[in-house]
């Protein structure tokens, strides 16, 4: 595997082996010396055209833990602001020594374009493109679910409920694809205006009631941020009306099974799609998801840059 631009590039076996590698690599993060020489001499560039806390920093930590050199590129302080194209930017970064480009871009398909146009020979890893995909987020979510239920293979038979702004969510799309690949049953729930066409064909059941979806006792409840920055127009009448129907709080939090897991990719809008009570609940995996992001990104960088499994 040279690139990772979509979950569609993975088979069930390759996804499981990436999760296995991430599980092994997570042990490095518990050591006193958190470093392996695996990618010594390689250079990873984080090419971010959108803001990020978790993804950018965890790719940086992951690359450094594998002894790669890391360059962080932010579009607003670069020559992109003077009109430089994606092609020229990527070729410039490769001329400066990049072996891998980790790209976050507001346009769906930008990482795939970079990987397929032969502009560069560096590996391309999608760190989130528009509303399209966020494959490493789905992998870290799957690792978190595996660990939460003590599983070592796939997620067969688990029921996962994804709630909120499905329409604008690259996290939801990558998760629906990966969870299906790993044998989980996926339901999405949210206001009708925020459920995209074609989601059933991707492998999800649709529910328009949070309570009804919770009454089927999902093993995992994954809450999503409402992505106001991607909305053209009004998708719900008010923040209060959205929260009243779709926030994980109060009675709805009480409906979540005692052994179920609560996930949120972050950043969370506490009091909007999730209450602080839910975010800080013992069933919440939010910080474990962040830690697992480092291990998953180590596994992906290693696989793309060495072409090998551990
Ligand atoms: N989950 C996620 O992609 O978070 P960031 O936007 O902070 O990277």
């Amino acid at each position: 595997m040279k690139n990772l631009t979509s979950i569609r590039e993975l088979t069930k076996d390759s996804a499981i082996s990436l999760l296995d590698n991430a599980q092994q690599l997570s042990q490095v993060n518990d050591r006193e010396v958190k470093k392996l020489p695996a990618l010594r001499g390689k250079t990873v560039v984080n090419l971010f055209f959108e803001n990020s806390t978790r993804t950018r920093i965890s790719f940086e930590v992951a690359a450094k833990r594998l002894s790669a050199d890391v360059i962080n590129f932010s579009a607003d302080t670069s020559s992109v602001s003077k009109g430089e194209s994606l092609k020229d930017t990527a070729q410039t970064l490769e001329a400066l020594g990049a072996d891998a480009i980790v790209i976050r871009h507001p346009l769906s398909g930008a990482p795939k374009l970079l990987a397929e146009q032969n502009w560069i020979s560096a590996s391309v890893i999608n760190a989130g493109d528009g509303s399209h995909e966020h494959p490493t987020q789905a992998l870290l979510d799957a690792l978190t679910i595996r660990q939460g239920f003590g599983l070592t293979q796939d997620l067969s038979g688990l029921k996962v409920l994804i709630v909120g702004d499905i329409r604008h969510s690259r996290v939801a799309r990558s998760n629906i694809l990966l969870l299906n690949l790993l044998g989980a049953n996926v339901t999405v729930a949210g206001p009708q205006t925020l459920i995209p066409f074609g989601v059933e064909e991707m492998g999800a059941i649709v529910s328009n009631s949070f309570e009804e979806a919770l009454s089927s006792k999902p093993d995992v409840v994954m809450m999503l941020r409402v992505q106001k920055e991607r909305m053209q127009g009004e998708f719900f009448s008010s923040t209060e009306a959205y929260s009243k129907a779709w926030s994980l709080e109060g009675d709805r939090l009480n409906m979540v099974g005692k052994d179920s897991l609560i996930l949120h990719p972050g950043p969370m809008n506490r009091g909007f799609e999730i209450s602080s009570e839910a975010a800080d609940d013992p069933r919440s995996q939010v910080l474990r998801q962040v830690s697992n992001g480092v291990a998953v990104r180590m596994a992906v960088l290693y696989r793309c840059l060495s072409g090998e499994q551990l």
Side-chain angles (χ1 to χ4, degrees):
M1 167 174 129
K2 182 185 165 203
N3 307 307
L4 180 61
T5 67
S6 166
I7 291 295
R8 293 184 196 275
E9 292 156 12
L10 300 177
T11 61
K12 181 174 181 178
D13 284 348
S14 65
I16 288 175
S17 98
L18 271 173
L19 296 176
D20 291 345
N21 285 180
Q23 185 64 45
Q24 286 170 275
L25 287 164
S26 67
Q27 289 158 15
V28 175
N29 298 325
D30 299 329
R31 288 192 200 161
E32 199 178 322
V33 179
K34 299 176 173 54
K35 207 106 172 147
L36 291 175
L39 295 183
R40 197 156 50 195
K42 301 285 187 190
T43 300
V44 175
V45 176
N46 282 324
L47 175 58
F48 277 57
F49 293 84
E50 274 188 357
N51 294 338
S52 168
T53 299
R54 283 146 284 270
T55 311
R56 195 198 60 70
I57 293 173
S58 61
F59 266 112
E60 180 174 355
V61 172
K64 286 180 172 169
R65 295 226 164 131
L66 294 172
S67 304
D69 295 318
V70 183
I71 298 166
N72 289 309
F73 173 105
S74 167
D76 354 336
T77 54
S78 73
S79 288
V80 167
S81 63
K82 300 176 200 162
E84 191 162 39
S85 68
L86 179 61
K87 175 182 172 180
D88 287 336
T89 302
Q91 287 182 335
T92 299
L93 294 171
E94 187 165 68
L96 289 166
D99 297 293
I101 294 184
V102 176
I103 176 171
R104 170 168 287 193
H105 202 283
L107 295 180
S108 298
K112 198 169 170 60
L113 186 78
L114 201 53
E116 290 184 350
Q117 285 298 313
N118 289 325
W119 294 333
I120 53 169
S121 56
S123 291
V124 177
I125 300 169
N126 183 359
D129 60 329
S131 300
H132 177 228
E133 276 215 50
H134 194 350
T136 57
Q137 177 71 44
L139 285 163
L140 74 87
D141 290 338
L143 182 64
T144 305
I145 295 168
R146 268 200 350 176
Q147 290 172 347
F149 292 102
L151 301 171
T152 54
Q153 291 295 313
D154 65 14
L155 305 178
S156 284
L158 287 185
K159 290 190 277 188
V160 180
L161 171 62
I162 306 177
V163 183
D165 180 2
I166 312 294
R167 177 187 286 265
H168 301 101
S169 177
R170 52 198 179 203
V171 174
R173 279 182 187 74
S174 286
N175 261 295
I176 292 168
L177 293 170
L178 184 61
L179 290 165
N180 270 285
L181 198 60
L182 296 176
N185 301 303
V186 184
T187 299
V188 296
Q192 248 166 356
T193 50
L194 291 177
I195 302 287
F197 291 115
V199 75
E200 289 99 337
E201 285 71 36
M202 288 180 74
I205 297 163
V206 175
S207 170
N208 293 118
S209 158
F210 198 171
E211 285 76 5
E212 184 188 275
L214 282 171
S215 66
S216 70
K217 297 280 164 224
D219 300 290
V220 178
V221 180
M222 183 184 294
M223 301 305 298
L224 298 177
R225 183 173 69 86
V226 176
Q227 305 210 8
K228 283 191 165 165
E229 73 278 16
R230 297 192 205 284
M231 291 183 180
Q232 316 272 332
E234 299 297 321
F235 286 84
F236 44 86
S237 55
S238 66
T239 304
E240 292 72 27
Y242 181 91
S243 295
K244 196 164 175 230
W246 298 105
S247 172
L248 184 60
E249 61 184 34
D251 288 345
R252 287 195 284 266
L253 180 58
N254 292 335
M255 289 179 77
V256 176
K258 70 175 177 41
D259 297 321
S260 299
L261 306 178
I262 297 168
L263 271 66
H264 190 306
M268 292 186 283
N269 288 311
R270 288 173 183 249
F272 187 2
E273 76 269 356
I274 188 166
S275 64
S276 279
E277 192 190 4
D280 301 330
D281 189 277
R283 293 164 291 184
S284 169
Q285 303 297 306
V286 170
L287 294 178
R288 183 180 281 268
Q289 288 171 270
V290 176
S291 307
N292 280 337
V294 175
V296 157
R297 287 162 181 141
M298 286 170 83
V300 169
L301 285 170
Y302 182 75
R303 189 72 66 89
C304 288
L305 282 168
S306 73
E308 294 168 15
Q309 294 176 219
L310 284 181

